[in-house]
Every structure is written in structure tokens, then in C-alpha cells.
Amino acid sequence: MTGHLDHLRGTPLRPLLASLAGALMLAMPGAFAQDVTAPPAEDATASEIEKFCTNIADAARDQRYLLQRKDLEALQASVDERIATLEKRRAEYEDWLKRRNDFLKQAELGLVDIYKTMKPDAAAGKLEMVRPEIAAAIVMKLPPRQSSLILSEMSDDKAAVLTNIISSASDPNTSKEPS
């Protein structure tokens, strides 16, 4: 073997070894070549991940739908609660309006004409004896000048009650009890 390498003795060793290694690598075509595809262990892992994701996709979708449904049900309950509150307020307003209209109609039964012709001191005495709601309705229907004369003839307590009822009759935010 030394006879074959005698002509290479004067050459540097490093380039010689490099060319020898290159020739050896070319002689073994697949030994050191890298596989472009993923190794089988990684293939199995990717396959398992894909299977796992595929298997839980339906469950995850169902869970999302369930959460969305719960949110929608909560919103529906909130809307229903607000509608109920509005309906309750509407009913209260309609009740208040009905009572106010009934209150005003009581005064229109001809009593206004009767009290128009009375003297203020006599009208005041009579109005102190009737229910405050009726007295207030009558006083509201009289001309302002006559109403003021009648109220000035009444006791302070009765005049204050009638004044409160009259002022609350025009206020939509009053309570159900006018007195």
C-alpha cells in the first residue's frame, strides 16, 4: 500500500485528507444524506396532534355554542326584565291618568256651576265638609279669582290640603294617593 501513495509524499496532508473524505462521501450516496421528510417519530406526533384536534373540534364547537347560548339567555332575561318594568310603569301611568280624568269629571257634574254662584265664605264652609279630592276638583274648575277667594276663606289646613291635591293633579310624577 505504501507503493501507491509514494507520489503523494511531498503534498500537504490536510488538502489530501479533505479530498479523500469528499471522495469517500461521494462513494456512499445515501449514508450521510439528510432525509427531507420529518423523522417517523415527529410524523407520529404530528399525526397524533391532528387526530386530537379533529377529535375535539366538535366538542369545542359545542362548548362555544353552549357559552353563546348562555349569553343569549342572560341577555333575553335582561330584556324581559326591562320589558316587565316598562309594562309596570305603563300600567301605573294609565292608572294615574284614569284617576286624574275621573277626578276632573267629578267636578264637571254641575257642582262647579253651583259653587260659582255661591259667596266665597259660604262656598269655603261647604267645601271644607266634602272629600278633599272633590273640593280640589271643584276649586280647579272655578275661575282663578273665585278660587283664591274661597281658599282664603278656608282654614289653613284644609286650604293646604286642597292646594297640594291641585298641584299634584298636574304633576305626572305624583304618587297614586293624591292626599
Side-chain angles (χ1 to χ4, degrees):
M1 181 161 181
T2 55
H4 294 301
L5 296 178
D6 285 337
H7 67 282
L8 298 175
R9 274 192 190 209
T11 60
L13 189 60
R14 185 172 281 194
L16 181 65
L17 287 177
S19 61
L20 183 62
L24 186 60
M25 288 175 95
L26 288 175
M28 300 185 286
F32 294 105
Q34 233 179 359
D35 192 8
V36 177
T37 61
E42 288 181 16
D43 257 348
T45 305
S47 174
E48 287 177 14
I49 291 172
E50 186 176 330
K51 285 179 186 177
F52 176 77
C53 290
T54 304
N55 289 340
I56 67 163
D58 291 337
R61 186 178 324 118
D62 291 345
Q63 195 67 7
R64 269 195 313 273
Y65 290 155
L66 184 64
L67 290 173
Q68 289 173 351
R69 182 178 177 192
K70 285 181 182 179
D71 288 344
L72 287 174
E73 287 173 353
L75 288 173
Q76 183 65 42
S78 175
V79 167
D80 290 344
E81 181 181 322
R82 289 180 185 175
I83 288 172
T85 301
L86 288 174
E87 287 294 323
K88 180 182 171 189
R89 287 184 183 166
R90 184 185 58 81
E92 287 176 1
Y93 176 74
E94 286 176 354
D95 181 51
W96 176 87
L97 187 61
K98 181 185 177 299
R99 286 185 302 110
R100 183 175 184 275
N101 289 337
D102 291 346
F103 169 77
L104 292 174
K105 285 180 185 177
Q106 288 177 349
E108 293 177 5
L109 299 174
L111 293 174
V112 175
D113 291 335
I114 294 170
Y115 281 94
K116 270 186 187 178
T117 59
M118 293 176 85
K119 293 188 179 194
D121 58 341
K126 304 296 182 208
L127 287 174
E128 283 184 347
M129 290 187 227
V130 297
R131 287 194 343 224
E133 295 87 12
I134 295 172
I138 292 170
V139 170
M140 267 178 66
K141 292 292 187 172
L142 293 173
R145 182 178 187 98
Q146 191 172 8
S147 295
S148 65
L149 290 173
I150 291 172
L151 287 173
S152 68
E153 293 291 329
M154 289 182 156
S155 69
D156 290 342
D157 292 339
K158 294 283 186 176
V161 169
L162 293 183
T163 303
N164 283 334
I165 292 171
I166 292 169
S167 68
S168 69
S170 63
D171 184 11
N173 296 322
T174 59
S175 66
K176 292 184 178 183
E177 286 300 316
S179 56

